Amino acid sequence: MLKSYLKIAYRNLLKNKVFSLINILGLAIGMAACLLILQYVRFELSYEDFHTNADNIYRVTLDLYNGSEFIETDCETYGNLGPYLTEQHPEVLNFVRFYNYESIEVKVKDQKFIEDRLYFADSSAFTVFTYEVIHGNPTTALSFPFQTVLTTSTAQKYFGRTDVVGEAIEIDNKPYQVTVIIADVPLNTHLKFDFLLSHTTVGKIWRWYDKNTWNSNNEYTYLLMAPGTDLAEFNQKLTDLSISLKDEVGDERFVAEPINDIHLYSNKTFEPEVNGSARTVYFLLIIAIFIITIAWVNYVNLSTARSVDRAREVGIRKVMGSGRSQLIRQFLLESAIISLLAGGIALTIVQFSLPVFRSITAQPLSLSIAHDAMFWYLLGGLILVGALLSGIYPALVLSSFQPTTVLKGKLRTSTHGRWLRQGMVIFQFATTVVLIIGTSTVYLQVNHLRNQDLGMDITQTLAVHTPSLGVPDSVYISQLQSFKNELLRLSTVEQVARSSSLPGLSLHQLGTSTGIRKVGEDAANNSYNYYLVRIDEDYASTLDIELIAGRNFEPGLSNYEKVLINEEAVSKLGFNSPEEAIGAKITYYWKHGEPSIISGVLSNYHQRSPKEAHIPMVFPYTAGGSYLTLRLSTEELPNTLAEIKDQWQQAFPNSAFTYFFVNDTYDQQYRADTRFGQIVAIFSGLAIFIACLGLFGLSSFTVLQRTKEIGVRKILGATIGQIFRLLSYDFIRLVLAAGLLALPIGYFVMQNWLANYATRIDLHWWIFLTPTLLILLIALLTISFQTIRAALANPADSLRYE
C-alpha cells in the first residue's frame, strides 16, 4: 500500500509540475526564512544562560526621583550596597561589584593600546558568575590590589601566548600582576570585558573613593540569591531599605531585576552596553510565524482549489473499496513528501544565506549548522508540522467526496471552501501590507533621526585620545597645550578643543550628580540627574554649539570657578530664561565647598541620539580632558592623519596614538534601528514573494477552470479588456479587502513602536495607502500573465471538443 501511495504521489508531482513547483518553492522559502529568524531569536533569548547560577542572580538598580516625580533608572548603585545587603539579608548569599574603567591605556613593552572593556571587580566574580578558567587559581584571582584577570584573546594580543600568570602588565601607568587567564567572555552576555582588575585597587588609585559611604553610585551590583527567593518580596525589602536610608540616598529607590531579563527588558541609563529589545525579538518571531503560515496557506489553497481535478480519482478509489482513512493517509503522505522536499531546499538556502544574515544582524551566528542539534529539531518540526497543518484540511476535503456525485460529474466547489480560500488570500496580503507599513515606517524614522538637527556640527571632526600620564598636573597640562598649539599650525586643522567626553560616546564617560541645584534651594525641590562634561574654551565653537546667553570660558584665564550649562539644565534648575541663569551660583563645588558661577548657557544639542530626549548638562572647565577634538578643513585624510601622528610622536613618544571620527562613532547609535529595518524589509519581500506565488498558482488554476467560459465569451464578442476585468475582479477585491484590514493593524503596531522615540515621525496617510496600492499593483502583475494569455487564446482551441 505504501508503495502505491508513493507511486501516486510521484505521478501527481510530475503531472502538475507548475503547482508542485509553487508549493515546494513557497514552502522552502517560508521554512528558510523562519529558520533564519529563529536562529536570531534563539541567540537573543540565550543571554546569560552559560552562568550556572543565572536563575538566582539579580542586579540591583537605582530609581531616581525628584520628590514623587520619577526621573529615570540608573543601572549603577553605591559601592557599599552589596556588602550591606549580604550582611542584613540571609537570602543574599553573595555579591559582586563591577566598576567600569574605560578608555585606559594599557602597555606591555612596545605593545600599547587604548582599551575600553575593563572593570574593577570583587574576587567573588568567579563565585557568582561562571567563567571558564584556562590558567591560574580563580579563588585568589582578585583578592589583592593591582591584580588583573585577562581573557585569552587579550593575553595573545599583548604577550603572544596565554600562559602568562605572574607576568606584569601596565594599566594607566600602574603595574598589575596577571593572576588568571579565562576564555573569552561569551557574546551572549550584557557584561563583556577583556580585563578584570581587583576591586581593592580602587581605593588605592582614587583617594576620594570610600567604600563605606553612600555618596557615589558608580558600580554595578550583582547579588547571588538563595534558590526560591521571591523577587517581589525582596524588592519590597529594598524599598523599605531605601526609605530607611533617606538621609543618605534621598528619594532614590533600590530595585532588583533578574540577570536573565537585562538584555531584552532593561533600557536604563549607564547600561554596560546597548541592550537588545524584546519588542524587536518578538516582532521578528511574529514575522517568522506569518511567513511560514503564508507558505502553508498557499499549499492549502492550491490543494483545495484542485479538488475538482482529483474528485474522479477519489470516486474511483472509493468504488474500488478504499476507505476514507486510507485516502487521508495517501493525501497526508503527498503533503509530507512535498514538505520533505521543501525542507531539503530550505536547508540549502539557510546554509548559503547564513553569512549574509549574520552580517546584517551583526550577531555571531554559527556558520556551521551540522552540530547544532536545536536547528535540526526546528527543521524537523517545521517539516512535520507543515505536513500535518497544510495537508490535513485538503486530505479531509478530498476524502469526503461521494463517489456517486463525482462520477456523474455533478461536483461543485462548496461555498465553504471558496470562502476559506478567499479568507486565506486576505490573510496573506493583509500580513504583507502590515510588513510593508512596518518597513516604510522604520526607514522613515531612521532617516528622520539621521537628518535631525543635532544642535551641533560633527562633520569633519577627528577625536584623539589624550595620553595617560597619570595625574593631570601643570607639566602635563603644559605638554597638552603645546601639542594643541602645534596642531593648530597645521594648514588642515581649523580648531582644536579639549573635553572629558564627546557626543555619541558611552554615558560612563560623563560625570553625573543629583546634588546640583541653586545655592540655598532645598534638596527636595531639585534632585534631577545632571550630566557633566568638562570642556575648554574652544569646545563649543569646534562643535558649532551656539552660546545663547552669557559668556564662554575665557582663554588664558582661570575658569575653574565657572560653569556653562545647557537649556535643559536651565529649565531643571528652575530658571525662567537663560539670561536669568547668568551669574547665579549652583552647588557644583569646584574647590573646598565653593559653589560654581553660571557663566554662560549653551543651546541644547543631542549628546546622545535624537531618539532620546535632551539631558540636563553642566560643563565645568578643564585644561586637560580625555579627548582632543580637531575640526579639519580637508577631506585629504591620509596626509592629515600622518601629520597629526608625527606631531603626537614628538610630543608623547611613549603613548599610544588612537583616534576616531566623531560622526562615525555617533552614527553607531542608529545601527540597531537600521539593522531592524533591513531585516524587516528582507523578510517582508520574502512574504510578498510567497504570497504572490500562491496568487499566481490560484489565478492559473482559476483561468484553467474557466477556459471554456472564456472561449464562449470571446465568440459572443467580449473584448480582451473585459475578460481581463472579469478574471481579475475577484482577486483585486480580495487584495483591497486585505489592505483595508491591514491599515488599523499597521497603525496600531507602528504607533507603539514609535512611542520609544523622543523624536519621531508623524504617521501620514500615504504611509498606509502606498503599501496597499503597491500590493495591488504586484497582485495585478502576478495574475495578468495568466489572464491576458487566456484572453488572447483562440476560442476554437477550448471549444473544439464541445
Side-chain angles (χ1 to χ4, degrees):
M1 185 65 70
L2 179 61
K3 183 179 179 181
S4 173
Y5 289 165
L6 290 172
K7 186 183 295 184
I8 293 167
Y10 175 71
R11 288 174 178 172
N12 271 301
L13 285 174
L14 293 183
K15 178 183 176 183
N16 303 284
K17 295 183 180 67
V18 173
F19 298 110
S20 298
L21 180 63
I22 289 173
N23 277 329
I24 293 172
L25 186 60
L27 284 172
I29 294 174
M31 285 184 189
C34 188
L35 287 168
L36 286 171
I37 293 176
L38 288 176
Q39 289 290 90
Y40 174 89
V41 170
R42 282 174 56 205
F43 180 81
E44 289 291 293
L45 296 177
S46 73
Y47 266 63
E48 317 305 341
D49 286 352
F50 65 93
H51 292 301
T52 303
N53 299 314
D55 292 339
N56 298 313
I57 301 174
Y58 296 167
R59 180 179 72 176
V60 183
T61 61
L62 196 61
D63 284 353
L64 304 180
Y65 287 85
N66 181 40
S68 60
E69 177 192 0
F70 172 75
I71 305 300
E72 61 191 9
T73 300
D74 191 339
C75 293
E76 297 176 325
T77 53
Y78 300 96
N80 56 339
L81 179 62
Y84 184 90
L85 291 174
T86 306
E87 292 173 3
Q88 299 296 322
H89 298 277
E91 66 268 40
V92 182
L93 303 181
N94 210 335
F95 73 93
V96 59
R97 295 164 295 186
F98 284 81
Y99 193 120
N100 184 272
Y101 193 44
E102 63 182 27
S103 294
I104 301 300
E105 187 174 77
V106 178
K107 298 179 186 178
V108 174
K109 297 180 180 178
D110 294 333
Q111 296 278 354
K112 48 192 176 184
F113 298 94
I114 298 294
E115 300 285 359
D116 287 321
R117 304 204 311 179
L118 303 91
Y119 289 91
F120 290 104
D122 292 298
S123 58
S124 54
F126 291 96
T127 303
V128 176
F129 294 110
T130 305
Y131 300 116
E132 182 185 353
V133 177
I134 307 299
H135 299 289
N137 182 2
T139 58
T140 58
L142 299 170
S143 300
F144 300 98
F146 299 103
Q147 292 181 328
T148 182
V149 171
L150 308 182
T151 62
T152 51
S153 60
T154 305
Q156 286 285 355
K157 176 179 177 180
Y158 284 96
F159 297 95
R161 53 193 173 88
T162 60
D163 55 336
V164 294
V165 172
E167 299 277 355
I169 186 169
E170 192 172 307
I171 302 173
D172 198 20
N173 294 299
K174 298 174 182 63
Y176 286 73
Q177 182 186 34
V178 179
T179 55
V180 162
I181 303 297
I182 64 172
D184 287 352
V185 180
L187 293 171
N188 56 339
T189 179
H190 75 288
L191 193 64
K192 301 178 178 68
F193 58 83
D194 298 314
F195 301 79
L196 287 183
L197 313 178
S198 52
H199 194 277
T200 54
T201 311
V202 178
K204 302 291 183 181
I205 62 174
W206 293 322
R207 293 179 181 177
W208 57 263
Y209 182 82
D210 185 347
K211 63 182 179 181
N212 296 315
T213 63
W214 300 90
N215 62 0
S216 176
N217 59 312
N218 296 309
E219 309 193 42
Y220 300 113
T221 302
Y222 297 89
L223 307 177
L224 177 60
M225 309 297 294
T229 300
D230 185 273
L231 178 60
E233 290 182 7
F234 184 65
N235 270 328
Q236 183 57 53
K237 292 181 180 180
L238 291 180
T239 299
D240 295 340
L241 172 64
S242 305
I243 294 171
S244 69
L245 293 172
K246 184 176 176 60
D247 290 342
E248 285 79 14
V249 301
D251 295 318
E252 297 168 354
R253 295 287 183 268
F254 302 121
V255 181
E257 60 181 347
I259 191 176
N260 290 324
D261 288 350
I262 291 175
H263 178 64
L264 292 181
Y265 298 97
S266 182
N267 186 25
K268 304 173 175 64
T269 59
F270 295 96
E271 291 281 1
E273 66 175 11
V274 177
N275 285 330
S277 165
R279 287 189 177 188
T280 298
V281 169
Y282 293 118
F283 185 72
L284 290 175
L285 190 58
I286 291 171
I287 290 178
I289 294 170
F290 278 162
I291 288 176
I292 194 64
T293 303
I294 289 172
W296 289 337
V297 163
N298 278 350
Y299 184 89
V300 173
N301 268 348
L302 290 175
S303 298
T304 53
R306 291 180 56 239
S307 60
V308 176
D309 270 7
R310 302 199 65 177
R312 292 184 185 276
E313 175 193 340
V314 172
I316 292 172
R317 283 181 168 276
K318 283 194 171 184
V319 169
M320 298 297 291
S322 293
R324 188 178 185 190
S325 62
Q326 291 175 313
L327 291 169
I328 289 174
R329 286 197 294 272
Q330 176 195 326
F331 293 125
L332 282 176
L333 179 62
E334 290 182 16
S335 173
I337 291 172
I338 289 175
S339 190
L340 193 60
L341 291 171
I345 298 172
L347 182 61
T348 305
I349 295 173
V350 168
Q351 190 63 60
F352 281 102
S353 302
L354 263 176
V356 177
F357 188 65
R358 176 176 177 170
S359 174
I360 293 171
T361 60
Q363 278 191 341
L365 303 175
S366 174
L367 296 179
S368 174
I369 56 178
H371 303 292
D372 187 350
M374 181 56 69
F375 175 86
W376 294 102
Y377 291 146
L378 290 171
L379 177 60
L382 285 177
I383 292 173
L384 180 61
V385 173
L388 289 173
L389 290 183
S390 60
I392 192 66
Y393 180 76
L396 292 173
V397 171
L398 291 169
S399 64
S400 67
F401 293 153
Q402 297 299 318
T404 54
T405 303
V406 298
L407 294 178
K408 289 180 181 180
K410 295 181 179 180
L411 181 68
R412 295 289 183 271
T413 303
S414 69
T415 303
H416 172 75
R418 185 170 62 252
W419 277 105
L420 178 65
R421 286 195 297 277
Q422 290 178 348
M424 289 180 173
V425 170
I426 290 174
F427 165 79
Q428 287 179 309
F429 283 96
T431 300
T432 55
V433 169
V434 171
L435 291 177
I436 294 175
I437 290 172
T439 303
S440 304
T441 305
V442 171
Y443 171 79
L444 291 170
Q445 174 64 15
V446 173
N447 194 53
H448 175 71
L449 292 176
R450 287 183 177 278
N451 293 323
Q452 187 75 12
D453 181 9
L454 299 177
M456 60 182 173
D457 182 9
I458 53 176
T459 59
Q460 294 290 101
T461 49
L462 179 76
V464 177
H465 282 278
T466 56
S468 296
L469 297 178
V471 179
D473 54 18
S474 59
V475 175
Y476 167 78
I477 291 172
S478 177
Q479 282 182 285
L480 200 60
Q481 182 63 49
S482 297
F483 177 61
K484 178 179 176 180
N485 294 337
E486 291 300 321
L487 291 177
L488 288 170
R489 290 192 178 95
L490 299 178
S491 60
T492 54
V493 177
E494 293 182 344
Q495 290 179 291
V496 181
R498 294 165 291 197
S499 62
S500 61
S501 184
L502 284 167
L505 295 183
S506 166
L507 284 178
H508 289 288
Q509 298 193 27
L510 303 182
T512 59
S513 174
T514 57
I516 297 178
R517 56 192 62 88
K518 297 177 186 176
V519 170
E521 186 178 65
D522 186 1
N525 298 328
N526 196 312
S527 57
Y528 293 102
N529 205 17
Y530 293 86
Y531 294 84
L532 310 174
V533 180
R534 298 179 180 276
I535 64 174
D536 70 358
E537 66 275 11
D538 296 314
Y539 181 82
S541 58
T542 300
L543 295 185
D544 197 21
I545 301 170
E546 183 183 0
L547 180 73
I548 59 175
R551 302 180 67 179
N552 194 0
F553 297 128
E554 299 178 66
L557 298 179
S558 174
N559 295 288
Y560 291 103
E561 75 281 5
K562 305 171 187 174
V563 293
L564 306 180
I565 62 175
N566 70 344
E567 293 175 271
E568 187 68 17
V570 168
S571 173
K572 291 291 188 289
L573 287 167
F575 296 109
N576 295 317
S577 67
E579 290 74 18
E580 183 183 331
I582 303 304
K585 293 183 178 181
I586 58 174
T587 56
Y588 176 78
Y589 300 110
W590 66 279
K591 183 181 71 172
H592 305 306
E594 290 292 326
S596 297
I597 300 171
I598 299 174
S599 172
V601 176
L602 299 177
S603 63
N604 282 334
Y605 70 92
H606 286 282
Q607 175 74 18
R608 301 290 294 164
S609 161
K611 65 184 180 183
E612 300 176 18
H614 289 295
I615 56 177
M617 302 184 70
V618 176
F619 303 92
Y621 178 77
T622 183
S626 301
Y627 300 95
L628 288 173
T629 306
L630 290 66
R631 177 162 294 283
L632 306 179
S633 60
T634 178
E635 294 184 359
E636 296 295 325
L637 296 177
N639 291 335
T640 301
L641 287 172
E643 291 178 337
I644 295 170
K645 187 173 182 179
D646 286 342
Q647 293 296 332
W648 175 275
Q649 290 173 342
Q650 292 178 36
F652 310 108
N654 297 318
S655 298
F657 176 67
T658 308
Y659 67 90
F660 59 90
F661 289 95
V662 180
N663 58 330
D664 288 343
T665 302
Y666 197 88
D667 283 349
Q668 290 178 9
Q669 299 175 98
Y670 305 121
R671 286 184 181 175
D673 295 312
T674 303
R675 290 187 190 118
F676 177 63
Q678 289 174 334
I679 294 170
V680 173
I682 289 169
F683 289 107
S684 297
L686 290 177
I688 294 169
F689 179 73
I690 297 170
C692 288
L693 269 181
L695 189 60
F696 179 81
L698 209 55
S699 62
S700 300
F701 191 77
T702 301
V703 169
L704 191 64
Q705 284 186 315
R706 302 180 72 173
T707 301
K708 290 183 175 60
E709 177 191 345
I710 293 168
V712 172
R713 287 181 178 275
K714 287 196 71 176
I715 289 174
L716 294 176
T719 64
I720 293 175
Q722 288 173 326
I723 293 173
F724 178 76
R725 285 195 297 273
L726 172 71
L727 297 175
S728 304
Y729 173 73
D730 285 341
F731 295 112
I732 293 173
R733 183 167 53 88
L734 295 178
V735 173
L736 287 174
L740 291 175
L741 177 64
L743 295 184
I745 297 174
Y747 180 82
F748 174 78
V749 170
M750 298 324 298
Q751 274 286 80
N752 276 274
W753 182 73
L754 288 171
N756 297 314
Y757 295 87
T759 303
R760 53 184 178 265
I761 61 170
D762 294 322
L763 291 175
H764 297 289
W765 60 268
W766 56 266
I767 296 176
F768 302 93
L769 180 61
T770 303
T772 305
L773 296 177
L774 178 62
I775 286 293
L776 182 60
L777 177 62
I778 293 172
L780 282 173
L781 292 174
T782 302
I783 62 180
S784 63
F785 175 76
Q786 291 294 334
T787 53
I788 292 175
R789 178 182 171 189
L792 291 173
N794 187 345
D797 294 334
S798 58
L799 300 175
R800 164 178 310 174
Y801 300 106
E802 289 299 314

